[in-house]
Amino acid sequence: MNIVAEKPQDLETLIQQVKAAQAVYATYTQEQVDLIFKKAAQAANEARIPLAKRAVAETGMGIVEDKVIKNHFASEFIYNKYKHEQTCGILEDDPAFGYQRIAEPIGILAGIVPVTNPTSTTIFKALLALKTRNAIIFSPHPRAKQCTAAAAKIVLDAAIAAGAPEGLIGWIEEPTIERSQALMQHPDIKLIIATGGPGMVKAAYSSGHPSLGVGAGNTPAIIDETANIKMAVSSILLSKTFDNGMICASEQSVVIVDAVYEAVKQEFIDRGAYFLDAAERDRLRNCVLENGHLNPKIVGQSVTRLAELADLQFEAGIPKVLMAEVEEIGTQEPLSYEKLSPILAVYRASDFEDAVLKAEKIVEFGGLGHTSVLYTQPANTEHIRHFENVLRTSRVLINTPASQGAIGDLYNFRLDPSLTLGCGSWGGNTVSENVAAHHLLNIKTVSQRRENMLWFRVPPKVYFRDGCLPVALKELTGKHRAFVITDKPLFELGVSEKVTQVLEGIGITHQTFYDVEPDPSLETIEKGLAQINLFQPDVIIAIGGGSPMDAAKVMWLMYEQPDTEFEGLATRFMDIRKRVYEVQPLGQKASMVCIPTTSGTGSEVTPFAVVTDQHTGIKYPLADYALTPNMAIVDPDLVMQMPKRLTAYGGIDALTHALEAYVSVFASEFTNGLALEAIRLLLKYLPAAYKEGANNPKAREKVHYASTMAGMAFANAFLGICHSMAHKLGSTFHVPHGLANALLISHVIRYNATDVPFKQAIFPQYKYPNVKWRYAVIAEYVGITGATDEEKIEKLIAAIEDLKEQLDIPKTIKAALSEDDRAFYAQVEWMAEQAFDDQCTGANPRYPLIEDLKALYIQAYEGNATTLGQAENQALVAP
């Protein structure tokens, strides 16, 4: 026996019975649910005629035959749409990405049923609840309580016969406003589906529970000068006469452009519509509203009944629809309201723009978020685009009868079939589409730990060994025009001739640009680019240190993609593959060859470049894998005569690259080996390369290779705060970059070397902080031993400090600067803040506070060190 709610205590009993049934139903399989869904839909469909008769008899509204169609639609079309849709268990399973989506029921739904469509709405909501393993309790309109209960009982009985738990569907037998509110506010109600008047929908949204509600409909239909008039008029009459105009999406007003107004009017008359004269219009106006609201006596009534209410007489038989020509929109014009009866307001528009303006006002007056219709020539995209962009409705129908078109799956199979529409934020609703099964599900997302895919990007070809330059350049055979970029000293020393002579030997025309200065400027880039655009090379060759290679990369980029924005390319990113600013792959016009003549930057194998705006002083550090050269030629013969200071600073820069890459949060097995071997080679051979130069070609060779290897490592693992701080120290006090790194690196190692950092980096590729172990691995790899990791790290720092001493590098920032203490301390706060925002900071294993960076600057300036025994959960305090 079904328990129904007649008194407050009965409502509580009903809710608890339904709750218990839903708890059981929530355990059902998809196969069980689908069988229940099917049998319930069949039962509702079989009862479509008796339910339609009961609805009309009880409510006194609508047409039996049309309600049969609605009941049929609510059962057959809803079943057909969702019969194969998965609503139970795992919806999506991707083991590779560790990702699942699981469908779970919401619980108990409260179904608010309108007097206008009681049986079809009940069937629709009950079937969706069954398909999604929810239970539902209906609150009928008092004037439709019996037919609503009858529809609910038919669905429930069929569901139970198919295996559903008893009590899964309930209803309030004697509905009142108080009982409806008590139902909606009950803590066991998890979602309200509210179809009804504005007051009831508002009450649902005020209940404190999630709600899906329908806003008021006041659908305008525009007929423009290109429309098929016969089709437009026929469609509107088909819609407006359906169930005596009770569908909330049905047209309430027709807006006709002046050019076709008379033709459209005559077509309406020919098709059985009746245009009221002024006196008849006034009598009808008096019937539309009651106390400022829609008069319930006209809702869903026939034209005959409306004629009785408005004292209208028809000489040529009963018309299909009453049409009243009006001009005003708003409270002063009753006929501009939603009428839910076979009454249409008619507006004459001067042109299409005026028609859209009128339709917009009609929607804003009483139908925001609901439905709007345009009749136009299908290829008239200009009118369609304008209409769809202006009208703030969730459903925009083109050449479609609104009543039948809006419910979906009739005039457009992609529009979900539904008897409940969400009107979006325009109508105060949470959804802006036809309510469907997925709206009644909780989707549980299961996400297993899967770090982002890593990458290893280097030039496709890297040539090395002494004397490899001419052999490697012969790989360019088949190219036609080479643009060589270098600096003036190398050009005057004849270094670039080693390249051009080979090019001539293989028949490649060449042109050399040698005006690149240290820290190349945009002015230099533009000057070289102008020559490139005239010369139209198919290969660009950079020879020199970091500056010529950086300049060449930027010229290459601007040659191939002249609309590139430096600001966008210099924007900070968290993941270089997901950055906001995108650069398309280069190489469509020319390939890039980089030939380093210094050992330090590693630019020949990295996707990085730096360019300076000479007018503002702003440096743009550009980063994108598109900037990775196509070929690198690492020939030790080109670095034999490097000056001592450049050897020292470049070597320490390369060492810092390798050290930071090894402990970076993006370090991987592919970068670790390169970083470790680069560190070993530099610690072993850099002193001899510095002191002996060309007299020790082996040391020069090993340092040169180490620089490129470190470049490959940090091109893929990135760097850390030593480089962040060095960038700002260098730009503020004109300290050479390698020297700046040398002055900071030992302090950074001590700062990073903790397994209990106050803040961790956000995206580590290792599962827990292990930087102490990583530094200890470096120490062991280069032959340093110790009883503990801490001892190994201190010995590693000592080895680095000893190396710096052999390279004649100052011990402190103070010793390296010509400025006094006041100048440094005046800038240290600003440098710390800028270093925090540097691109390199995000890959540092210990995420720093700005105060930490300031303290590190001061320690490096004064020469005092922080030991590993210091409390690590406090920010470093500047002395």
Side-chain angles (χ1 to χ4, degrees):
M1 178 178 179
N2 296 315
I3 297 177
V4 294
E6 297 183 3
K7 295 178 287 188
Q9 60 267 33
D10 293 337
L11 178 62
E12 182 63 32
T13 302
L14 171 64
I15 291 173
Q16 295 311 314
Q17 173 185 304
V18 172
K19 182 179 179 181
Q22 193 277 326
V24 174
Y25 192 49
T27 66
Y28 278 32
T29 65
Q30 187 72 64
E31 291 74 17
Q32 291 174 297
V33 166
D34 287 346
L35 176 62
I36 292 167
F37 180 55
K38 179 178 181 178
K39 295 300 183 182
Q42 288 177 335
N45 190 29
E46 290 169 1
R48 62 188 182 277
I49 294 177
L51 286 176
K53 289 180 177 179
R54 293 190 66 162
V56 173
E58 184 178 2
T59 66
M61 299 177 181
I63 301 170
V64 168
E65 291 80 1
D66 290 342
K67 290 192 183 296
V68 171
I69 293 173
K70 288 195 285 188
N71 291 339
H72 200 160
F73 177 90
S75 53
E76 180 181 280
F77 275 67
I78 297 305
Y79 172 74
N80 183 71
K81 171 65 179 179
Y82 298 113
K83 61 184 177 182
H84 297 308
E85 184 163 327
Q86 187 172 354
T87 55
C88 307
I90 298 174
L91 304 178
E92 182 180 351
D93 188 9
D94 190 334
F97 284 91
Y99 181 82
Q100 283 185 336
R101 294 176 71 248
I102 301 173
E104 297 282 1
I106 289 175
I108 305 178
L109 313 178
I112 310 303
V113 181
V115 68
T116 51
N117 302 295
T119 55
S120 56
T121 301
T122 300
I123 293 168
F124 166 69
K125 292 179 179 179
L127 289 179
L128 282 193
L130 291 174
K131 180 64 178 181
T132 52
R133 293 187 296 174
N134 292 303
I136 189 167
I137 298 175
F138 289 105
S139 177
H141 191 282
R143 291 171 56 189
K145 61 184 180 182
Q146 294 177 5
C147 60
T148 299
K153 188 174 188 304
I154 287 170
V155 175
L156 174 61
D157 289 347
I160 293 173
E166 293 192 16
L168 191 61
I169 298 173
W171 55 90
I172 298 175
E173 190 81 10
E174 294 294 334
T176 63
I177 293 176
E178 292 76 20
R179 286 174 189 156
S180 292
Q181 290 179 336
L183 173 66
M184 291 189 289
Q185 294 171 2
H186 195 281
D188 285 329
I189 296 299
K190 301 306 179 184
L191 178 69
I192 301 167
I193 313 177
T195 310
M200 185 58 71
V201 173
K202 184 177 181 180
Y205 277 92
S206 302
S207 68
H209 294 304
S211 302
L212 298 173
V214 179
N218 197 19
T219 302
I222 291 178
I223 302 176
D224 77 3
E225 65 275 17
T226 71
N228 183 317
I229 294 175
K230 290 183 180 296
M231 184 267 285
V233 169
S234 176
S235 297
I236 292 171
L237 291 176
L238 169 67
S239 171
K240 196 57 181 171
T241 58
F242 185 77
D243 206 21
N244 284 339
M246 290 174 64
I247 301 291
C248 59
S250 65
E251 300 85 349
Q252 304 299 317
S253 302
V254 181
V255 185
I256 310 167
V257 299
D258 185 71
V260 293
Y261 186 85
E262 294 301 334
V264 171
K265 180 177 179 179
Q266 189 59 50
E267 183 66 22
F268 269 114
I269 294 171
D270 293 345
R271 296 291 176 181
Y274 181 81
F275 275 73
L276 304 172
D277 62 26
E280 293 170 328
R281 181 180 61 204
D282 288 340
R283 291 199 297 274
L284 185 62
R285 279 175 175 150
N286 294 332
C287 296
V288 169
L289 299 182
E290 185 178 85
N291 298 322
H293 299 285
L294 178 63
N295 183 358
K297 295 178 182 178
I298 74 167
V299 175
Q301 300 304 307
S302 66
V303 172
T304 300
R305 176 57 181 156
L306 294 174
E308 293 174 359
L309 293 171
D311 191 21
L312 303 176
Q313 303 294 325
F314 308 115
E315 296 180 359
I318 304 300
K320 292 181 179 179
V321 173
L322 302 178
M323 303 188 73
E325 296 170 295
V326 294
E327 296 180 357
E328 300 295 328
I329 299 169
T331 55
Q332 70 277 20
E333 176 52 78
L335 292 168
S336 66
Y337 282 73
E338 180 184 37
K339 297 168 282 294
L340 297 180
S341 57
I343 301 172
L344 279 170
V346 183
Y347 293 88
R348 188 168 189 158
S350 58
D351 54 23
F352 179 70
E353 286 72 21
D354 183 43
V356 174
L357 180 62
K358 285 180 166 60
E360 183 182 16
K361 289 181 179 179
I362 292 167
V363 167
E364 289 181 351
F365 173 59
L368 277 172
H370 209 285
T371 306
S372 57
V373 186
L374 170 64
Y375 288 92
T376 186
Q377 209 279 331
N380 191 351
T381 55
E382 182 180 351
H383 280 192
I384 293 172
R385 295 290 178 266
H386 181 61
F387 183 75
E388 68 188 13
N389 287 334
V390 172
L391 271 293
R392 292 191 291 168
T393 59
S394 297
R395 288 181 295 205
V396 177
L397 306 178
I398 308 298
N399 296 324
T400 303
S403 295
Q404 295 85 353
I407 60 176
D409 211 12
L410 290 174
Y411 286 84
N412 188 300
F413 301 143
R414 287 292 303 276
L415 184 61
D416 287 340
S418 178
L419 295 182
T420 299
L421 166 74
C423 295
S425 61
W426 296 313
N429 300 164
T430 52
V431 299
S432 56
E433 59 186 340
N434 285 1
V435 172
H438 68 268
H439 294 118
L440 308 186
L441 290 170
N442 285 321
I443 305 299
K444 182 188 298 180
T445 300
V446 180
S447 176
Q448 298 185 38
R449 180 169 180 148
R450 295 286 193 277
E451 284 85 358
N452 278 335
M453 177 191 72
L454 289 181
W455 59 91
F456 188 76
R457 298 278 297 272
V458 295
K461 296 179 179 179
V462 179
Y463 292 94
F464 60 99
R465 286 300 182 198
D466 51 301
C468 68
L469 176 65
V471 178
L473 285 175
K474 289 180 181 178
E475 284 279 333
L476 301 178
T477 299
K479 298 290 185 181
H480 303 286
R481 303 170 72 82
F483 193 81
V484 180
I485 300 171
T486 188
D487 57 35
K488 194 169 185 178
L490 289 175
F491 179 77
E492 292 177 344
L493 288 171
V495 176
S496 59
E497 289 185 12
K498 296 181 179 181
V499 173
T500 57
Q501 287 174 358
V502 177
L503 296 176
E504 291 170 1
I506 56 177
I508 297 178
T509 303
H510 58 84
Q511 181 175 322
T512 301
F513 177 81
Y514 55 83
D515 290 339
V516 178
E517 74 277 36
D519 297 326
S521 64
L522 280 175
E523 184 177 23
T524 298
I525 300 299
E526 292 165 359
K527 184 177 177 182
L529 182 62
Q531 295 185 28
I532 288 177
N533 286 329
L534 287 173
F535 186 67
Q536 290 291 302
D538 55 3
V539 61
I540 296 172
I541 302 174
I543 181 167
S547 294
M549 287 189 282
D550 283 358
K553 289 179 182 178
V554 180
M555 291 181 201
W556 181 35
L557 172 65
M558 300 306 293
Y559 174 48
E560 300 224 355
Q561 299 182 29
D563 295 329
T564 299
E565 301 171 9
F566 286 125
E567 293 86 349
L569 198 55
T571 301
R572 284 284 310 272
F573 56 81
M574 297 178 75
D575 187 327
I576 194 171
R577 301 159 301 169
K578 301 174 183 177
R579 61 185 306 158
V580 174
Y581 192 86
E582 294 184 38
V583 177
Q584 298 304 311
L586 302 183
Q588 300 302 310
K589 291 184 177 181
S591 57
M592 167 64 67
V593 178
C594 283
I595 307 169
T597 61
T598 61
S599 305
T601 68
S603 185
E604 67 275 8
V605 290
T606 71
F608 310 122
V610 179
V611 64
T612 303
D613 187 331
Q614 70 278 8
H615 300 296
T616 63
I618 297 175
K619 283 191 174 184
Y620 292 107
L622 311 181
D624 196 281
Y625 279 116
L627 295 175
T628 304
N630 303 111
M631 181 189 295
I633 303 175
V634 187
D635 189 338
D637 283 353
L638 300 176
V639 296
M640 289 299 161
Q641 305 301 326
M642 275 181 65
K644 290 185 67 174
R645 191 171 70 165
L646 188 56
T647 299
Y649 295 168
I652 290 293
D653 188 22
L655 178 64
T656 308
H657 289 160
L659 287 166
E660 293 209 287
Y662 191 77
V663 299
S664 160
V665 296
F666 291 111
S668 71
E669 289 80 358
F670 289 82
T671 61
N672 287 343
L674 290 165
L676 285 173
E677 184 62 8
I679 293 167
R680 186 188 72 82
L681 291 173
L682 289 164
L683 287 175
K684 182 175 181 180
Y685 292 105
L686 183 55
Y690 173 73
K691 294 174 182 177
E692 302 173 38
N695 294 325
N696 193 333
K698 180 179 179 180
R700 282 289 195 196
E701 179 184 17
K702 299 298 186 183
V703 169
H704 201 42
Y705 295 163
S707 170
T708 299
M709 293 164 64
M712 290 179 176
F714 89 81
N716 293 279
F718 302 114
L719 298 166
I721 60 172
C722 186
H723 268 77
S724 299
M725 297 172 69
H727 291 154
K728 310 315 169 188
L729 179 64
S731 61
T732 305
F733 292 105
H734 306 290
V735 177
H737 178 63
L739 174 58
N741 277 316
L743 297 170
L744 292 160
I745 185 60
S746 294
H747 300 281
V748 169
I749 292 174
R750 284 199 178 95
Y751 173 77
N752 282 339
T754 174
D755 290 341
V756 285
F758 182 62
K759 290 180 72 64
Q760 292 178 239
I762 303 301
F763 304 112
Q765 291 301 314
Y766 34 85
K767 293 178 173 59
Y768 49 84
N770 62 1
V771 184
K772 285 169 63 175
W773 171 80
R774 286 177 170 267
Y775 281 128
V777 168
I778 294 173
E780 292 168 357
Y781 190 82
V782 299
I784 295 172
T785 60
T788 64
D789 286 348
E790 288 83 357
E791 183 181 352
K792 294 172 187 175
I793 294 168
E794 284 300 325
K795 287 184 176 181
L796 174 63
I797 293 172
I800 293 170
E801 289 299 310
D802 179 64
L803 172 65
K804 287 160 55 177
E805 186 173 349
Q806 294 184 65
L807 301 178
D808 300 317
I809 289 175
K811 292 184 177 297
T812 64
I813 296 176
K814 179 186 288 190
L817 297 185
S818 58
E819 290 83 356
D820 60 18
D821 291 354
R822 287 180 300 178
F824 173 80
Y825 281 100
Q827 296 291 333
V828 69
E829 187 85 41
W830 180 88
M831 288 194 300
E833 184 175 317
Q834 295 301 305
F836 174 79
D837 196 45
D838 189 274
Q839 182 62 59
C840 294
T841 297
N844 197 71
R846 178 178 179 180
Y847 201 72
L849 303 177
I850 295 174
E851 280 297 312
D852 295 354
L853 299 175
K854 178 182 176 181
L856 286 169
Y857 271 129
I858 292 172
Q859 290 167 9
Y861 183 78
E862 300 289 351
N864 55 331
T866 303
T867 65
L868 290 169
Q870 180 179 352
E872 293 293 343
N873 285 342
Q874 300 294 326
L876 299 174
V877 180

